[in-house]
Structure formats: C-alpha cells, structure tokens
C-alpha cells in the first residue's frame, strides 16, 4: 500500500449524526444533569413529548419547594430533550412563561447559599469519619480532603478516575477531562500540594488507593455496610448525603450544608488567608464575577470589630 493510501485510510473517521455532535458540545456532567431532570419530570407524571398542561402542572407542583434556579434548569433540560428528539418544545408556550413569572414573584430569585466547610470544620469532619469502619473512613476522608483541596464540584469528583491522578514529590495533579470551565474537553489540571502533618489530602487519597487496592476506574465509589467497595462511581446525590451525614454527626444543621460546601470552603479559606483571587481561580476554575461573591464575604469577615 502506498503512502497516499495510508494517509487516506488514516483520514477516514466514523461519521457522527447531528444529535451526536450536539451532545459532544456539552460537558458529560451537563448531560447527566439534563438526563436526571428529565427523569424526575417523567417520574412526576410527565412524558416526552409533553403537553403544555403537563409542564404547567409540574411547575405548580414543584414551585413551592424548589429554588427558582432549580425549576428553571429543569425546564431547560425538558426543552433541550424535546429539541434533541425533534419535538416542538412546550416550555416555550406563553402559559409556561406566565406561571414562571408567578413563581418568581412568590418565591423570589435569590440563589440559596450554603455554608462553607472551612478548615476547622473539615478537620472536625475528618476526625468523625476516622472513627468509622476503616474502608468507609478511608474513602470518605479521601473524598472530603480531595474535594476541599482541589475546590471540586460534586460532578467533577464523581467523574474522577485513577488515570486522572499524577503523583508528584510535591503533591498531586488531577486532570479534569471535562468541566464547566472546560467545555471543549482540552483538559483542566488541578494541583494539590502536600500538607504538613497527617491531615494531608495527598496522603488521604494515596491511603484510599492502598486500602481499596484500586488502580483504575472511578476513584470514589460506594462502600457497603460490610465494607465491600462498589464498581461504579458515587452519584452527586451520594456525595451530598455523605457530607450531610458528617455535618449532622458534628452537631451542625445539615440543611445549611451541601456538596458545594467543600468547594466554597476552599475559596473562603483562601480569601481569608489573603491569597490573591487569580491564584485561587487557578485551582477552582472560577471566573471573575462568580468568585467575587467569596471575595466580598472574605473582606467582610476580615473587618475587625470596633466593640
């Protein structure tokens, strides 16, 4: 075969449908969120394609118990699902827009802010987890230490696999193959340095690998009552549940914390320590306007009392 034939053969790629190309433009975490939102809608009695009445009834049912931002995201998911399947979307109907106006007036649009898990709380949760069964404890400590140390989103944590980790003398690098800050999938690397003492996220993750014997596949998995390790990655809901269990055991109100609290804790701790915003953003991936709310919180807390 000639060199020209080799080049022609190498240039042949499997063709993708329009739907597959559209799917490729979305981060895997976004696709999971869309699919979960549609599943919840169907479980509540909806269908795809849906009627305007189904959408209106659904918004009415969840309007008083969910944040406006959550309801809007679910409607976007349902809307996208219709378009992907070639259906006209009922979400664009004037009746749906009208009922959403009513929801915004009744509930308000202020985004719920959870409490941050700052360093002292993290260390307390670490101690609580360490008293549990050894495999569960190792997994859980690695989860919260890595989540805090790398300012990870829940969706990023559950998507991590062992081949994403590069061990270094000074710490570890963790590659995010896709995230909200890297929709193109070029890869976003987070560096987590070694910490002094035995409360080190790098040591915690290494110990989880040692005790679990895992070298590939998902890093963070379920651990059963008998200490058996599951094959699949934890869900984002499971991450939030684990954190709330630890928070509850610490005597705090779990309703004030969520899976996002670890990420918020890293940023808040950095601001309070005087770390410059752009340095924090190198780890967290935040962009200016989003990070600014943490900067304001940090500055307020640094103001001394005059009493």
């Amino acid at each position: 075969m000639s060199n020209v034939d080799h080049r022609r053969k190498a240039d042949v790629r499997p063709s993708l449908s329009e739907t597959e190309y559209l799917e490729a433009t979305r981060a895997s975490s976004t696709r999971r969120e869309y699919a979960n939102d549609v599943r919840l809608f169907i479980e509540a009695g909806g269908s795809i394609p849906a009627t305007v009445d189904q959408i209106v009834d659904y918004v009415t049912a969840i309007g008083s118990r969910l944040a406006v931002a959550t309801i809007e995201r679910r409607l976007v998911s349902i809307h996208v699902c219709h378009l992907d399947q070639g259906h006209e979307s009922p979400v664009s109907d004037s009746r749906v827009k009208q009922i959403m106006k009513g929801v915004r007036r009744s509930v308000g649009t202020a985004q719920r802010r959870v409490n941050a898990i700052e360093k002292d709380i993290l260390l307390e949760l670490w101690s609580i987890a360490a008293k549990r069964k050894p495999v569960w404890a190792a997994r859980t400590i690695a989860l919260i230490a890595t989540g805090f140390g790398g300012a990870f989103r829940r969706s990023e944590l559950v998507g991590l696999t062992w081949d994403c980790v590069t061990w270094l003398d000074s710490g570890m690098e963790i590659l995010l193959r896709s995230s909200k800050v890297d929709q193109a999938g070029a890869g976003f690397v987070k560096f987590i340095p070694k910490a002094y003492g035995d409360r080190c996220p790098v040591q915690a993750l290494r110990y989880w690998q040692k005790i679990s014997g895992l070298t590939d596949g998902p890093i963070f998995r379920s651990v059963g009552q008998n200490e058996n390790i599951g094959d699949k990655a934890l869900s984002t809901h499971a991450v939030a549940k684990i954190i709330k269990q630890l928070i509850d055991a610490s005597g705090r109100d779990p309703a004030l914390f969520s899976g996002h609290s670890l990420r918020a804790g890293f940023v808040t701790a950095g601001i309070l320590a005087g770390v410059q915003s752009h340095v924090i953003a190198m780890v967290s991936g935040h962009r200016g306007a989003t990070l600014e709310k943490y900067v304001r919180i940090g500055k307020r807390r640094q103001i001394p009392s005059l009493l």
Side-chain angles (χ1 to χ4, degrees):
M1 186 180 291
S2 68
N3 289 337
V4 174
D5 291 333
H6 277 298
R7 286 196 298 270
R8 285 175 179 169
K9 186 174 182 181
D11 287 341
V12 175
R13 295 179 177 87
S15 59
L16 298 176
S17 67
E18 180 181 357
T19 300
E20 288 171 322
Y21 277 120
L22 289 172
E23 282 294 300
T25 65
R26 303 172 193 145
S28 58
S29 58
T30 302
R31 294 197 296 271
R32 287 195 297 269
E33 288 177 357
Y34 282 179
N36 187 56
D37 288 341
V38 172
R39 177 183 62 80
L40 291 171
F41 170 63
I42 292 173
E43 288 179 352
S47 62
I48 303 294
T51 65
V52 174
D53 284 342
Q54 284 179 325
I55 300 295
V56 170
D57 289 345
Y58 183 59
V59 173
T60 302
I62 65 177
S64 61
R65 58 184 177 84
L66 295 180
V68 173
T70 301
I71 299 171
E72 289 174 338
R73 193 202 67 222
R74 290 193 182 182
L75 290 180
V76 168
S77 300
I78 295 167
H79 174 75
V80 169
C81 182
H82 277 79
L83 297 185
D84 284 351
Q85 296 187 23
H87 303 303
E88 184 177 350
S89 173
V91 175
S92 304
D93 189 86
S94 59
R95 286 175 57 200
V96 177
K97 293 179 180 178
Q98 194 64 33
I99 195 170
M100 280 305 300
K101 286 182 180 179
V103 170
R104 292 186 188 97
R105 291 194 190 101
S106 300
V107 180
T109 56
Q111 190 174 17
R112 173 178 171 257
R113 290 184 183 176
V114 296
N115 287 2
I117 294 178
E118 298 180 42
K119 184 177 179 180
D120 58 337
I121 300 177
L122 176 73
L123 297 180
E124 186 177 346
L125 301 185
W126 191 311
S127 297
I128 291 170
K131 297 175 182 177
R132 306 292 176 85
K133 293 181 179 179
V135 178
W136 188 94
R139 187 283 318 273
T140 302
I141 290 171
L143 177 72
I144 62 174
T146 304
F148 181 94
F152 283 99
R153 297 177 175 87
R154 285 182 300 164
S155 58
E156 294 170 346
L157 276 173
V158 300
L160 293 179
T161 52
W162 285 108
D163 61 346
C164 295
V165 182
T166 300
W167 305 107
L168 305 170
D169 291 340
S170 57
M172 61 184 175
E173 288 182 345
I174 299 181
L175 171 66
L176 289 180
R177 291 193 174 87
S178 64
S179 71
K180 290 186 177 180
V181 298
D182 179 36
Q183 295 286 326
F188 178 64
V189 177
K190 291 178 182 256
F191 172 70
I192 302 178
K194 286 183 177 178
Y196 296 107
D198 58 351
R199 301 299 175 90
C200 170
V202 180
Q203 291 182 10
L205 191 59
R206 272 196 175 279
Y207 183 68
W208 164 234
Q209 185 176 50
K210 177 182 178 181
I211 198 172
S212 66
L214 298 171
T215 57
D216 57 16
I219 293 178
F220 298 114
R221 313 181 187 200
S222 63
V223 177
Q225 292 288 336
N226 57 1
E227 295 273 82
N228 285 343
I229 301 171
D231 295 327
K232 297 180 180 179
L234 289 171
S235 66
T236 55
H237 175 73
V239 173
K241 185 176 180 181
I242 291 167
I243 290 170
K244 285 178 178 290
Q245 286 176 343
L246 293 174
I247 288 291
D248 187 42
S250 75
R252 297 176 176 85
D253 183 357
L256 301 178
F257 296 82
S258 76
H260 185 74
S261 294
L262 291 170
R263 178 171 166 82
F266 172 89
V267 178
T268 303
I271 295 297
L272 291 174
V275 180
Q276 293 185 355
S277 300
H278 75 276
V279 176
I280 295 172
M282 287 173 63
V283 178
S284 69
H286 278 107
R287 291 168 183 169
T290 308
L291 187 60
E292 183 60 29
K293 65 184 179 183
Y294 294 101
V295 175
R296 290 196 298 269
I297 292 171
K299 286 180 177 177
R300 285 201 303 269
R301 292 176 57 180
Q302 287 173 332
I303 298 173
S305 172
L306 298 179
L307 298 179

